[in-house]
Amino acid sequence: MKKLGISLIALATLLLIAVLISLIPSDAWFVRTVDLVREPMSYVAALLLILALFLARAQRWAAVTMFGLVILINVWRIWPYSFLAETQLALAEETPQAAEATCFSAMSVNVKVKNHQYDQIIAQVRKHDPDVLFLMETDARWINQLEPVLSAYGHVDRHPQPEAFGLVFATRLPTLKSSVVENTHRDTPTLYATLQPAGTQPIEFIGLHPKPPLPGWNTDSRDENIVNAGVQTPDRLPNAIVMGDFNDVPWSRTTSKFRSTGGWRDPRIGRGTYPTFPANLLFVGWPLDQLMVKGGLQLQSFEVLSDNGSDHRAMLTHVCAPL
């Protein structure tokens, strides 16, 4: 029991140091990575706290106190994305404006460039048949496999890349213009499209997939890419939707800044975290794929879809644009 106590105190100390360091406004990858794992870290800390209750008294309270602080700090950061918090965005079916709008569906999928489960992705896209489709990590091989699906869309932008940052944008909606912009680095493009659903004012669609915080990749470029994508849109239209794999969680200071400076509303707030990665371990996963709207746009619904063979789950939403 003594060795167990020492081990638990050591783990508690490491976790507490990690969460305290994560509160420092730093772009270092090892600091920002903690944001990504706050939710699963809290579950682990809770299990270890229960185990610590069986230690000798002196060790018990030291371990319990530190594990408790880890949980409290993480819960404080994640709190807006719990079902106990107030929602930020009412679903359109809850508002009288829903009957006076044109609605369409939009889907974002990180296919994973090394994934060979083409049929599963294609089947999922065909099943939900979205009006707007945004695909990430698409190289030339993936685009070739997806051509039977893409041929059903009137407008398609193909931007293959050999690594993990290719994009495809496809839509049936009338498209006034679209472009792929390098907000920070040439290999992390952002998709901008101006769409005009029937009877509505034009809206902007933003598709985003910046680099993750990994050893050797600090988050300054990722953060700049995320924030720029929300405030430097080509047409500065009041109505807009953003989707994509941010490689960031919604409670981080970067995505929080994106939301506040751009006037974005997040449907997850007050409803839950809706994790999307890793696809086969969502019970300890985290929400890397984002969906937000601004202006007069409302959501009828949104959901994280079933496993499709990628390491990310796809997101699907039904959006209503005012007439």
Side-chain angles (χ1 to χ4, degrees):
M1 288 296 289
K2 185 176 181 180
K3 289 183 178 179
L4 176 62
I6 293 171
S7 298
L8 288 176
I9 289 173
L11 281 171
T13 302
L14 288 173
L15 290 178
L16 183 57
I17 290 172
V19 295
L20 290 175
I21 289 176
S22 74
L23 301 179
I24 299 172
S26 170
D27 294 324
W29 68 268
F30 58 87
V31 174
R32 301 305 301 281
T33 299
V34 177
D35 258 336
L36 304 181
V37 296
R38 289 193 189 279
E39 190 174 8
M41 182 192 293
S42 298
Y43 300 149
V44 171
L47 292 174
L48 294 175
L49 185 151
I50 293 171
L51 185 59
L53 292 174
F54 298 94
L55 298 176
R57 183 171 183 177
Q59 293 178 325
R60 179 196 314 156
W61 294 116
V64 166
T65 299
M66 287 189 284
F67 285 132
L69 286 172
V70 168
I71 295 168
L72 284 174
I73 293 171
N74 286 336
V75 168
W76 164 62
R77 296 293 294 168
I78 297 172
W79 178 260
Y81 293 87
S82 75
F83 67 92
L84 297 173
E86 184 179 356
T87 58
Q88 185 183 53
L89 176 64
L91 296 181
E93 61 187 17
E94 302 167 0
T95 67
Q97 292 85 359
E100 302 176 358
T102 294
C103 301
F104 61 92
S105 57
M107 180 176 175
S108 66
V109 191
N110 183 326
V111 302
K112 188 178 182 182
V113 69
K114 296 181 180 180
N115 175 25
H116 293 169
Q117 305 297 323
Y118 310 114
D119 291 345
Q120 291 190 49
I121 298 285
I122 290 170
Q124 191 172 65
V125 172
R126 283 179 168 161
K127 175 183 177 181
H128 296 284
D129 194 28
D131 299 307
V132 177
L133 176 64
F134 179 59
L135 304 167
M136 295 154 281
E137 295 201 17
T138 48
D139 59 5
R141 177 174 51 90
W142 258 104
I143 290 175
N144 287 336
Q145 293 288 331
L146 289 164
E147 284 301 337
V149 169
L150 299 179
S151 64
Y153 290 89
H155 177 95
V156 181
D157 288 312
R158 301 167 179 84
H159 190 79
Q161 289 197 9
E163 299 301 331
F165 296 97
L167 304 177
V168 172
F169 174 73
T171 181
R172 297 189 184 92
L173 301 181
T175 304
L176 303 183
K177 64 180 181 180
S178 65
S179 61
V180 176
V181 177
E182 311 291 353
N183 277 333
T184 49
H185 292 289
R186 61 178 177 82
D187 58 350
T188 52
T190 300
L191 181 284
Y192 294 105
T194 302
L195 311 174
Q196 190 164 16
T200 73
Q201 294 297 311
I203 65 174
E204 284 189 277
F205 180 93
I206 303 169
L208 189 60
H209 185 211
K211 287 184 175 180
L214 294 173
W217 287 1
N218 290 340
T219 66
D220 49 345
S221 294
R222 181 202 68 175
D223 297 349
E224 182 184 358
N225 195 353
I226 291 173
V227 174
N228 285 352
V231 297
Q232 296 182 9
T233 58
D235 289 345
R236 305 294 199 276
L237 296 180
N239 296 331
I241 174 174
V242 62
M243 298 183 80
D245 173 9
F246 278 36
N247 275 313
D248 192 28
V249 286
W251 50 78
S252 78
R253 61 182 175 86
T254 301
T255 299
S256 296
K257 183 178 179 181
F258 168 91
R259 190 174 64 248
S260 61
T261 57
W264 296 92
R265 291 167 293 149
D266 189 338
R268 281 182 167 119
I269 291 178
R271 292 188 173 93
T273 59
Y274 290 81
T276 60
F277 176 90
N280 58 345
L281 291 171
L282 289 191
F283 65 96
V284 290
W286 48 93
L288 295 186
D289 299 85
Q290 309 303 327
L291 160 66
M292 299 182 212
V293 295
K294 68 176 180 178
L297 296 186
Q298 295 288 328
L299 300 187
Q300 274 188 324
S301 63
F302 73 101
E303 60 181 309
V304 174
L305 299 180
S306 59
D307 193 354
N308 57 22
S310 176
D311 57 345
H312 285 249
R313 299 286 182 102
M315 291 198 75
L316 177 70
T317 183
H318 288 80
V319 187
C320 293
L323 301 179

